[in-house]
Amino acid sequence: MKTKMTSVALAAIVAAGTAVAAVPASAATVKAAPTRCHTADLKAGFATGDDAKPEMGRPGTQTQAFVWFTNKSNRTCTLSGFAGVDMVGAQRTDGTWSLVRSSKRPTKITLGRGDTTDFSINLLPVARSTPQKKKFVPAKFLVTPPNETKHFTLKWPFGGQILKQDGATHPGTYLNPIGQ
């Protein structure tokens, strides 16, 4: 009985060894394509360098704020599309404003470990003297990476106020795709 089991086991090992040898060497080195980045893979924040700060003191002139994502995971991952952004207002009457998307076409961005990309938010500031019901005073932004459901809560660091157009078809405040 031992001899028969040993022969069957030896035949299985030989067959397995032959099958592995039949795989082309090039197939063994092919890596799987990176998968999308998840919220847990990323860090996020507002770009606050002098050249990245929105000009909130110029009422009626469109400006941009930039939000960055950095891959903090140990794997390469991709981002494509638009982040979800909800602005939470500082005034009792502001509520939450979900920003609409621009018409720009997204591209796929690949992030290696430690790599960063960003996206811009176009803003339309108004004067401090603008009536309360016509302005939105940002306090924080809830930023959700593309195709995710968990968000980052980012405190708005720039001050100022934005023309309240949360019901407009083509508002002066809107999102651009990742990488643009």
Side-chain angles (χ1 to χ4, degrees):
M1 187 79 166
K2 268 187 173 179
T3 309
K4 186 175 182 184
M5 288 184 86
T6 305
S7 298
V8 170
L10 184 58
I13 291 170
V14 169
T18 304
V20 171
V23 174
S26 61
T29 60
V30 173
K31 288 185 174 183
T35 59
R36 70 179 170 88
C37 301
H38 298 283
T39 304
D41 297 325
L42 303 168
K43 295 186 296 188
F46 281 106
T48 57
D50 286 335
D51 60 340
K53 291 180 184 175
E55 296 181 52
M56 298 304 291
R58 296 186 60 202
T61 303
Q62 203 168 39
T63 187
Q64 289 184 317
F66 295 86
V67 176
W68 51 262
F69 289 122
T70 298
N71 180 1
K72 68 176 186 174
S73 74
N74 290 326
R75 66 183 187 88
T76 297
C77 61
T78 62
L79 287 171
S80 181
F82 290 82
V85 176
D86 293 328
M87 293 191 306
V88 179
Q91 302 178 119
R92 189 172 32 93
T93 58
D94 285 339
T96 301
W97 178 358
S98 296
L99 298 183
V100 298
R101 299 171 173 181
S102 73
S103 60
K104 292 183 179 180
R105 301 202 45 84
T107 58
K108 185 182 271 188
I109 306 293
T110 301
L111 297 176
R113 182 180 182 190
D115 288 348
T116 297
T117 190
D118 64 8
F119 67 93
S120 60
I121 301 171
N122 287 51
L123 304 162
L124 187 56
V126 295
R128 190 174 291 284
S129 61
T130 302
Q132 183 175 347
K133 67 181 183 178
K134 292 186 177 185
K135 66 181 175 183
F136 186 95
V137 181
K140 59 185 173 181
F141 282 54
L142 309 178
V143 178
T144 308
N147 304 307
E148 288 292 298
T149 57
K150 294 182 181 172
H151 66 264
F152 297 98
T153 301
L154 306 177
K155 184 179 176 190
W156 177 247
F158 305 114
Q161 45 279 323
I162 300 164
L163 181 61
K164 191 168 190 170
Q165 297 179 308
D166 53 344
T169 305
H170 298 287
T173 297
Y174 56 88
L175 297 173
N176 291 303
I178 300 292
Q180 296 183 34

